[in-house]
Amino acid sequence: QVQLVESGGGLVQDGGSLRLSCAASGRTFGDYAMGWFRQAPGKEREFVAGMSRRGTSIRYGDSVKGRFTISRDNAKNTAYLQMDMLKPEDTAVYYCAADRGAIVTVNPGAYDYWGQGTQVTVSS
């Protein structure tokens, strides 16, 4: 079992920045690829970013490329999502997730563990 807890969400103005953190406990953090997803009201869960176990492979959703940066610190059992140039359409609940697989996948069904989510609201 892996427990994931997100933090760092909040209210920010258009063009602002936020940094989300995902603290993991339980099994060895470095054994899992990590992903960030988001879900806005009435919409499906959307892949935002993912990183492989050692950070050698990274993927981003098309809507966040060039603005968001995923990272991880295996020594601190924590994953991060740096979000810059935020837009109102980035408003959503953001979730981190852990996948025992060896590759980064955009499919939320492939992830084994999920955090409770943190709200990000971008005002115009």
Side-chain angles (χ1 to χ4, degrees), residues 33-47:
M34 296 300 297
W36 287 95
F37 292 78
R38 66 187 183 187
Q39 189 165 19
K43 295 188 177 181
E44 292 187 354
R45 192 162 294 192
E46 175 190 11
F47 173 80

Side-chain angles (χ1 to χ4, degrees), residues 1-118:
Q1 281 277 35
V2 175
Q3 293 77 42
L4 303 173
V5 179
E6 301 97 337
S7 61
L11 174 64
V12 65
Q13 289 188 332
D14 190 357
S17 297
L18 281 175
R19 188 193 196 203
L20 304 184
S21 298
C22 174
S25 61
R27 302 293 294 272
T28 305
F29 180 67
D31 288 345
Y32 295 84
M34 296 300 297
W36 287 95
F37 292 78
R38 66 187 183 187
Q39 189 165 19
K43 295 188 177 181
E44 292 187 354
R45 192 162 294 192
E46 175 190 11
F47 173 80
V48 175
M51 176 175 275
S52 60
R53 297 166 180 169
R54 298 292 177 262
T56 54
S57 176
I58 296 174
R59 297 180 70 174
Y60 292 100
D62 289 341
S63 61
V64 306
K65 283 180 181 176
R67 300 188 298 122
F68 290 11
T69 303
I70 188 173
S71 62
R72 66 189 295 164
D73 186 336
N74 286 352
K76 294 183 177 180
N77 292 345
T78 304
Y80 305 96
L81 185 68
Q82 176 67 41
M83 305 186 295
D84 299 315
M85 296 181 284
L86 282 161
K87 306 174 182 179
E89 50 264 43
D90 294 318
T91 295
V93 177
Y94 283 71
Y95 300 88
C96 68
D99 175 16
R100 287 172 290 191
I103 62 172
V104 178
T105 177
V106 305
N107 177 15
Y111 287 78
D112 303 290
Y113 303 101
W114 291 81
Q116 82 290 348
T118 185

